[in-house]
C-alpha cells in the first residue's frame, strides 16, 4: 500500500492546512476527506481519535486528529469539550471565567491516530503555555488568540505566523512524530 499519500478525515480547514504543511516537510502528501467524525465522550484525546478512526470504513492510509485546550486550574476543562466551549462561551467566556485567576497555565494536546492495511498507531503532541488576559492576534484559529506558549516571547499563537506556530505547536509535534515514524518504516 502506498504510504507517501495519506488521507486526513477532518471538517476543519485550519487543522488540515497545518497538518498538510508539516507532512510536506517530509515529502508526504496529505489529502483531505471532508467528514464529520464520530466523537466519543472521553477525557483522553488518544481514545477519542482512535475511536473516530476505528468506525471509519475506508481502505486507504488514513488518520484522524483530536485536539483540545486543557486549563490546569480547571482540571483540564475545556479539554474534550473544546469545540463545544468555543461554540458556546467562546474565547470571551474563557477569559471571563479566568478573570480573577493568577494561575493561568494551560496546554494544547493533539493525538493523531493513523491506520493503513498493516498497522494502527497513535502519536501525541503537547505545547505548554498560559491563557492571556485578553485576545491578541488574528492568526491561527479557535483558542489561538488567548494561548501564549511558554517557548516563545510572550505572543499568543494568534500573533504568530503559521510557520512560527508550526515550529512548536501540539499538532506539528504529533504530526512530526508520525512523519518520522513513516519515514523510518519505508
Ligand atoms: P477537535 O475536537 O480536535 O476538532 O478540536 C476541538 C476544538 O479545539 C476545536 O474547536 C478547535 O477550534 C480547538 N483547537 C484544536 N486545535 C487548536 C489549535 O491548534 N488552535 C486553536 N484551537 C484549537
Amino acid at each position: 500500500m502506498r504510504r507517501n499519500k495519506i488521507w486526513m478525515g477532518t471538517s476543519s480547514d485550519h487543522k488540515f492546512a497545518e497538518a498538510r504543511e508539516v507532512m510536506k516537510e517530509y515529502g508526504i502528501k496529505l489529502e483531505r476527506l471532508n467528514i464529520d467524525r464520530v466523537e466519543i465522550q472521553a477525557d483522553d484525546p488518544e481514545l477519542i481519535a482512535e475511536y473516530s478512526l476505528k468506525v471509519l470504513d475506508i481502505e486507504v492510509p488514513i488518520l484522524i486528529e483530536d485536539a483540545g485546550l486543557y486549563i490546569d486550574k480547571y482540571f483540564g476543562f475545556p479539554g474534550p469539550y473544546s469545540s463545544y466551549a468555543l461554540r458556546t462561551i467562546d474565547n470571551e467566556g474563557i477569559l471571563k471565567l479566568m478573570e480573577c485567576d493568577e494561575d493561568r497555565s494551560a496546554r494544547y494536546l493533539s493525538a493523531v491516530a493513523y491506520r493503513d492495511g498493516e498497522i494502527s498507531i497513535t502519536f501525541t503532541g503537547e505545547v505548554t503555555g498560559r491563557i492571556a488576559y485578553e485576545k491578541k492576534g488574528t492568526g491561527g484559529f479557535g483558542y489561538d488568540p488567548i494561548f501564549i506558549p511558554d517557548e516563545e516571547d510572550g505572543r499568543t499563537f494568534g500573533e504568530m505566523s503559521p510557520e512560527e506556530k508550526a515550529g512548536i505547536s501540539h499538532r506539528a509535534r504529533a504530526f512530526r512524530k508520525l512523519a518520522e515514524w513513516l519515514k523510518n518504516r519505508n
Side-chain angles (χ1 to χ4, degrees):
M1 190 180 298
R2 280 186 62 200
R3 287 186 220 99
N4 56 352
K5 181 169 161 187
I6 292 171
W7 293 80
M8 176 174 182
T10 181
S11 58
S12 166
D13 297 348
H14 293 282
K15 287 172 73 165
F16 178 67
E18 290 186 6
R20 185 187 52 202
E21 290 311 303
V22 173
M23 297 304 265
K24 211 193 272 178
E25 291 168 18
Y26 294 82
I28 300 168
K29 192 163 169 31
L30 201 60
E31 297 277 356
R32 178 169 175 189
L33 189 66
N34 200 342
I35 50 159
D36 275 324
R37 66 194 165 93
V38 177
E39 272 191 66
I40 53 163
Q41 221 170 7
D43 294 348
D44 183 348
E46 285 173 79
L47 291 179
I48 300 172
E50 283 166 5
Y51 187 84
S52 301
L53 185 61
K54 193 170 124 188
V55 296
L56 211 54
D57 189 15
I58 290 175
E59 300 250 331
V60 291
I62 185 155
L63 62 86
I64 295 281
E65 188 217 13
D66 188 76
L69 176 72
Y70 292 70
I71 300 173
D72 293 348
K73 169 132 203 229
Y74 295 98
F75 308 99
F77 173 84
Y81 307 106
S82 289
S83 55
Y84 179 76
L86 208 55
R87 263 187 288 122
T88 50
I89 61 174
D90 205 350
N91 283 326
E92 282 76 13
I94 300 285
L95 293 177
K96 181 97 190 120
L97 176 74
M98 298 191 71
E99 218 166 33
C100 303
D101 293 337
E102 279 179 23
D103 175 6
R104 309 186 72 84
S105 56
R107 66 202 66 232
Y108 271 128
L109 299 180
S110 162
V112 178
Y114 166 83
R115 177 185 75 207
D116 59 32
E118 291 161 15
I119 200 164
S120 297
I121 190 164
T122 305
F123 296 91
T124 58
E126 175 176 339
V127 56
T128 58
R130 63 185 190 278
I131 302 299
Y133 283 93
E134 56 184 354
K135 288 203 296 183
K136 279 195 180 151
T138 52
F141 66 104
Y143 297 103
D144 285 345
I146 63 165
F147 183 80
I148 303 172
D150 288 332
E151 285 153 80
E152 266 291 336
D153 53 6
R155 286 177 300 152
T156 65
F157 267 163
E159 294 178 286
M160 293 182 191
S161 67
E163 293 74 25
E164 285 175 307
K165 182 181 174 189
I168 54 173
S169 85
H170 53 310
R171 175 162 304 104
R173 285 180 170 150
F175 276 86
R176 280 197 189 103
K177 285 185 196 167
L178 169 65
E180 296 278 355
W181 180 83
L182 287 165
K183 282 284 162 195
N184 290 331
R185 180 187 181 209
N186 281 336

